[in-house]
Amino acid sequence: MLATKVLRMATRRPAAVFLNSARLDYDEALDFSRLESITDLTMNSVDAVTDPSEIVSLVNSSNAEIVITKEMTVPKEAVEKFTNVKLLCEAGTGYNNIPTTTARSLGIAVSNIPTYSTSSVAHMVITYVMSFSAAMFAQGRRLFEGDQTNFNVFQHPIYEITGKTLGLVGGSGTIGTAVIPSHRFGVVDR
């Protein structure tokens, strides 16, 4: 069924609306030309649209078959009023902002980008692990306050991460799998 919809949509340029493009393109540096080359794209350059009736109006007035959102809640009551939508896309990970059951029951396919920012998040996790183990925040605060006594005698404990066990809450999904190579620092992953 989805393949038929995609094939039908591939023979012409479907209408698409990005409900809150400013959330993704916050610095106006993204190039949407590839998306514009395959769709009749309407950009709504705001961070979020919260009124369900405004969401319905933006979608239905553009006759959109594709709705794109970035971390914006799309209420069930809005999805139920979409007249032409075939695909609802989250321009990031997760679906917690989209009523997937409702959308799918109406024949609307739902997609996301499961690898969005995977490396960035994994790098941030490793950065925090290393910062916390060396009490970087506490030491930085002391320096900011003009206290340099930590250079004479450590005022905060520093923990070696070599041989420690790294517990990943949520398991070894896309991001967890990217964090696991932290064993290069001698961390045991389980």
Side-chain angles (χ1 to χ4, degrees):
M1 183 171 159
L2 178 59
T4 304
K5 287 180 186 177
V6 171
L7 181 60
R8 197 174 321 125
M9 289 169 61
T11 60
R12 60 180 173 67
R13 288 169 41 118
V17 61
F18 198 140
L19 291 175
N20 62 328
S21 61
R23 178 74 175 173
L24 184 65
D25 192 21
Y26 55 88
D27 59 358
E28 299 179 0
L30 292 179
D31 179 6
F32 290 96
S33 62
R34 289 186 66 185
L35 186 57
E36 291 168 331
S37 74
I38 60 170
T39 67
D40 290 325
L41 182 62
T42 300
M43 302 285 279
N44 190 34
S45 298
V46 298
D47 189 60
V49 181
T50 56
D51 179 13
S53 62
E54 185 179 356
I55 293 170
V56 172
S57 177
L58 288 165
V59 170
N60 291 345
S61 67
S62 66
N63 204 29
E65 294 176 69
I66 301 168
V67 175
I68 306 165
T69 183
K70 175 65 177 143
E71 300 167 349
M72 187 187 95
T73 299
V74 181
K76 175 182 175 181
E77 59 268 23
V79 173
E80 291 171 335
K81 294 178 182 172
F82 292 166
T83 56
N84 199 37
V85 176
K86 310 287 187 280
L87 179 61
L88 184 52
C89 304
E90 165 56 37
T93 58
Y95 295 114
N96 59 313
N97 55 318
I98 297 172
T100 56
T101 303
T102 300
R104 290 180 177 136
S105 74
L106 295 169
I108 300 171
V110 180
S111 69
N112 67 356
I113 305 170
T115 57
Y116 176 82
S117 293
T118 298
S119 294
S120 296
V121 174
H123 294 169
M124 186 61 67
V125 169
I126 299 302
T127 300
Y128 280 140
V129 167
M130 296 179 78
S131 292
F132 292 145
S133 70
M136 294 303 292
F137 295 111
Q139 292 188 59
R141 184 174 42 253
R142 289 178 79 110
L143 285 173
F144 179 77
E145 293 169 353
D147 182 352
Q148 297 183 8
T149 59
N150 198 46
F151 291 113
N152 300 325
V153 177
F154 284 131
Q155 306 296 314
H156 300 283
I158 296 176
Y159 301 98
E160 295 288 334
I161 60 174
T162 302
K164 298 291 190 279
T165 300
L166 176 63
L168 299 174
V169 177
S172 56
T174 305
I175 294 171
T177 302
V179 172
I180 288 173
S182 64
H183 70 275
R184 292 184 187 124
F185 299 107
V187 176
V188 178
D189 47 300
R190 296 193 180 167

